[in-house]
Amino acid sequence: RRLSLVRDARASALAAACERRVPDFNEQELSTTVWAFATLDVDATLRAAVLAAIADVARPRIAEFSPHGLSNLAWAFATAGVDAS
């Protein structure tokens, strides 16, 4: 069962904090955050904003990721239902 935060102000606060801090996240923190938002029942707009912020930060750093870190990030985005195309 997924934790539902759809109508919970804490979800907005969490998303805003993630968006502010995501430039400082390492590869594990990026993939874990994607996975967390993929599995939490949050508003789709909040989820999309956080995932977009993470993608924007990860994209230019992707060459620095370890194979394990890259696979974790890809898996997390797939879990979130993000299409790579």
Side-chain angles (χ1 to χ4, degrees):
R1 201 172 115 190
R2 289 172 31 163
L3 175 62
S4 180
L5 295 174
V6 172
R7 292 183 176 86
D8 193 317
R10 293 175 292 181
S12 295
L14 178 62
C18 286
E19 287 182 67
R20 278 192 313 275
R21 304 270 326 267
V22 76
D24 300 323
F25 285 6
N26 64 36
E27 63 187 54
Q28 181 178 352
E29 292 163 336
L30 291 170
S31 62
T32 301
T33 304
V34 172
W35 175 84
F37 274 87
T39 57
L40 280 172
D41 186 16
V42 296
D43 179 77
T45 304
L46 288 178
R47 178 182 293 115
V50 171
L51 296 184
I54 291 173
D56 288 346
V57 166
R59 193 172 292 114
R61 294 172 33 192
I62 219 79
E64 302 167 16
F65 285 24
S66 68
H68 182 79
L70 182 57
S71 67
N72 282 347
L73 187 63
W75 170 81
F77 273 111
T79 300
V82 175
D83 187 346
S85 59

